[in-house]
Amino acid sequence: GVSVGIGLLAISSPFCGVGCEVKTGVVYVYVCEFARSCMWIEKLSGSEAQDDAFFGSSLAVFNQQIAIGAQKQEGNMIIMSV
């Protein structure tokens, strides 16, 4: 999924993980300036992600915070400040 906030872009890949061998899910975070150019700043994954957790299956950006859901992970939501 994709979510956009003011100056922040998050793109999830819930069916991928480390080298896409373990399907835990990842979220890529970009900082954007004036909707013209974006620069990758971080790759996020669940700290204790389980195989097939689908981290990033839901995604929302508000101001400088990102809410990330992991459909099949116990305690399936995390909110991060960037």
Side-chain angles (χ1 to χ4, degrees), residues 17-77:
V18 179
C20 290
E21 295 169 12
V22 179
K23 296 179 175 102
T24 56
V26 294
V27 174
Y28 301 94
V29 181
Y30 297 82
V31 172
C32 302
E33 295 181 13
F34 307 110
R36 293 185 184 162
S37 64
C38 295
M39 181 176 69
W40 174 74
I41 59 167
E42 195 161 358
K43 177 181 176 181
L44 305 173
S45 60
S47 60
E48 297 179 14
Q50 302 164 352
D51 194 17
D52 294 327
F54 302 120
F55 183 82
S57 55
S58 57
L59 188 63
V61 174
F62 180 74
N63 292 332
Q64 295 298 307
Q65 292 187 329
I66 303 171
I68 304 168
Q71 184 177 358
K72 294 188 177 183
Q73 178 78 31
E74 186 175 324
N76 65 1
M77 186 167 196

